[in-house]
Structures are given as structure tokens and as C-alpha cells.
Amino acid sequence: MVDVKLENIVKTFGETVALKGIDLHIKAGELFTLLGPSGCGKSTTLRIIAGLDFPDSGTIHFGDEEVTYLPSSKRGAVLVFQNYALWPHMTVFDNVAYGLKLKKLPKDEIKKKVEWALELVKLEGFADRYPTQLSGGQQQRVAIARALVVEPKVLLLDEPLSNLDAKLRLEMRSEIRRIQRELGITVIYVTHDQEEAMAISDRIAVMNVGTVEQVGTPKEIYESP
Ligand code: ADP
Ligand code: ADP
């Protein structure tokens, strides 16, 4: 469990100022949501926290450790993409095991960890299937298992429910909550859906064109003018 602190983060893409010096303090073990319209900088913020992109200026800390320019593999934050990005030619087991194989862990240890992760997302018995043989919700669970199997300090979810139908969205909301509470992991969640943010979050940052306009609990956000 670790807190995540962003201080004065600026990010530009050519002429576009995607982030205009944002400050965020995400507490250890909370589910923190970045909420705002398309183009306001949510994905850029997540990618910078993940180490998939780097800011022009500003700092990022995980606990006491500065991670601003650490490569993704060294900082312990894992990003789950909107489209899950599973490898279609690999089984569920191999998809989840991928990161562990890169780390060259012993086979029996990989097996134990993959089984743990599949159990966590309630996909025991699906190890030998291929992604195309799974529903959208199940594919989403595989993507979450693949992220959690490396035991990250921070889990980053970018619009994780946007490809699911309404019923599955509700189901996966409570699944994400359950997993987060079970592991006590810090989760940073991105959505443009206000209702979803209100339902799932401990706290919300409302973003607008490269700035953070407001931070608070769902109740505080809802009751503010
Ligand atoms: P959101 O996730 O809130 O939709 P993004 O973080 O994706 O917003 O984008 C913020 C702004 O930065 C947008 O204007 C977007 O077009 C721009 N942007 C993001 N990534 C790139 C990139 N790789 N190259 C150029 N512009 C980008
Ligand atoms: P999301 O839907 O999660 O906000 P996007 O579709 O905006 O994601 O972005 C997907 C990828 O395209 C990201 O890697 C982002 O950096 C890049 N991107 C976003 N906007 C632009 C842009 N205007 N020009 C170039 N790349 C962009």
C-alpha cells in the first residue's frame, strides 16, 4: 500500500498543453477517480503515473520514493487498458503469466501466482481458454488478473468498463471494489461517467482541460455548487 503524490505536473504535446501543472495526493489504499470530459488529460495523467510517458516538469512520488523518471517496470504501477489488450493467440494462463515469465520466475512459482490471481478475479477453471472464448466481462477480469499477478503497489484503470453492457458494468464495479478492499491496494481509476465515479470512488478529482478543478468524496462533489 502506498500513497501517490503528483506535484505541479506539466505535460505538453507540441502546441497542446495536456496538463497545466496539476497537484494530486492519492492516499494509500483508496480508490481515487479522475473524472472529466474527453481530452481533459485523464489518460495522460495515468500514463505518467504508470511510467509509460514522462512529464515536462513536476514530480511524482510513491510513498517516499521519487519515481518521476523511473521506467514503468521499476515503479510498481500497472495500467489496465480500456480494450484489455489481451494476446489473442495465448491462453488465459499465458496471458496472466506473461509478466512473471519476463521476470524469469521458476515455473511452479508462476503457476501458484497465476492460480492466485485467477481465483481473485473468480476465473478459476478458465486457464486453458482463449480470450475469444470469453465474454467481455471475463476478458476484463483476465486483464485485471494480469495486472495484479505482479503484485503492483498501484493499480491504474483507464475506463475499464466502457466496453461492457450495462448489467456487466454494474457487476464489474462491485468486483473492482471487492478486489481493491481484499488487497488493500491503491487504485487510480479514470472515467468520464459521473454516475460511475460517484458509485465506485472513495474520492474524486474533477478535471477540466489540463487542470484539477475539485477534489473530494462523492458526497462532497455532489453537494458542491
Ligand atoms: P482524456 O484521457 O481525458 O480523454 P488525454 O489525456 O487522452 O485526455 O488527452 C489530453 C490532451 O492531450 C488532448 O488534447 C489530447 O489530444 C492530447 N494528447 C494526448 N496524447 C497525445 C499524444 N500522444 N500526442 C498528441 N496529443 C496528445
Ligand atoms: P483514451 O480514450 O483512453 O483517452 P485516447 O484514445 O485518447 O485514449 O488515446 C489513445 C492513445 O493515443 C494514447 O497513447 C494517447 O497518448 C494517444 N493520443 C491521444 N490523443 C492524441 C493526439 N491528439 N495525437 C496523437 N496521439 C494521441
Side-chain angles (χ1 to χ4, degrees):
M1 238 208 258
V2 74
D3 66 321
V4 175
K5 203 180 252 174
L6 277 67
E7 282 171 298
N8 204 11
I9 294 290
V10 174
K11 178 67 180 177
T12 56
F13 297 102
E15 306 274 281
T16 306
V17 187
L19 299 175
K20 301 176 181 170
I22 65 168
D23 294 302
L24 287 172
H25 187 184
I26 295 145
K27 297 174 195 163
E30 76 175 335
L31 196 157
F32 189 93
T33 297
L34 307 176
L35 169 69
S38 180
C40 72
K42 305 182 297 295
S43 293
T44 301
T45 305
L46 270 201
R47 291 173 56 79
I48 284 175
I49 295 170
L52 298 174
D53 207 342
F54 302 98
D56 301 346
S57 61
T59 58
I60 304 168
H61 285 82
F62 287 3
D64 292 334
E65 187 187 12
E66 185 179 349
V67 300
T68 317
Y69 298 104
L70 268 190
S72 172
S73 59
K74 296 246 160 71
R75 65 172 76 180
V78 178
L79 176 59
V80 175
F81 296 96
Q82 187 172 10
N83 58 7
Y84 322 141
L86 300 177
W87 291 286
H89 61 289
M90 286 188 202
T91 62
V92 166
F93 185 97
D94 288 335
N95 264 284
V96 175
Y98 188 79
L100 301 175
K101 287 184 178 166
L102 283 185
K103 288 187 178 180
K104 303 212 189 314
L105 291 188
K107 260 194 176 160
D108 56 337
E109 203 171 315
I110 290 179
K111 186 155 184 285
K112 217 188 291 171
K113 282 180 188 280
V114 171
E115 279 168 2
W116 168 82
L118 289 179
E119 194 177 323
L120 183 69
V121 300
K122 297 189 176 155
L123 280 183
E124 311 97 319
F126 287 78
D128 295 329
R129 300 228 194 158
Y130 287 88
T132 51
Q133 299 172 309
L134 302 177
S135 70
Q138 290 168 336
Q139 291 181 35
Q140 175 63 272
R141 287 169 196 261
V142 176
I144 292 172
R146 183 176 59 183
L148 291 174
V149 80
V150 297
E151 297 174 55
K153 295 181 208 147
V154 184
L155 177 66
L156 307 169
L157 299 171
D158 193 353
E159 302 264 6
L161 308 183
S162 58
N163 290 330
L164 303 177
D165 64 39
K167 185 164 168 283
L168 266 177
R169 270 206 295 277
L170 288 183
E171 184 184 316
M172 284 308 294
R173 260 188 210 173
S174 52
E175 279 296 286
I176 288 168
R177 266 313 226 176
R178 176 186 63 77
I179 291 165
Q180 186 244 347
R181 292 209 173 104
E182 212 167 304
L183 298 179
I185 192 174
T186 308
V187 176
I188 308 176
Y189 190 99
V190 158
T191 183
H192 63 271
D193 182 337
Q194 184 167 343
E195 198 265 326
E196 186 174 308
M198 293 291 176
I200 203 168
S201 314
D202 292 315
R203 290 194 305 146
I204 299 168
V206 181
M207 292 184 68
N208 195 11
V209 280
T211 60
V212 174
E213 294 203 320
Q214 198 184 355
V215 178
T217 62
K219 190 165 181 283
E220 287 164 354
I221 301 281
Y222 184 75
E223 286 172 356
S224 74

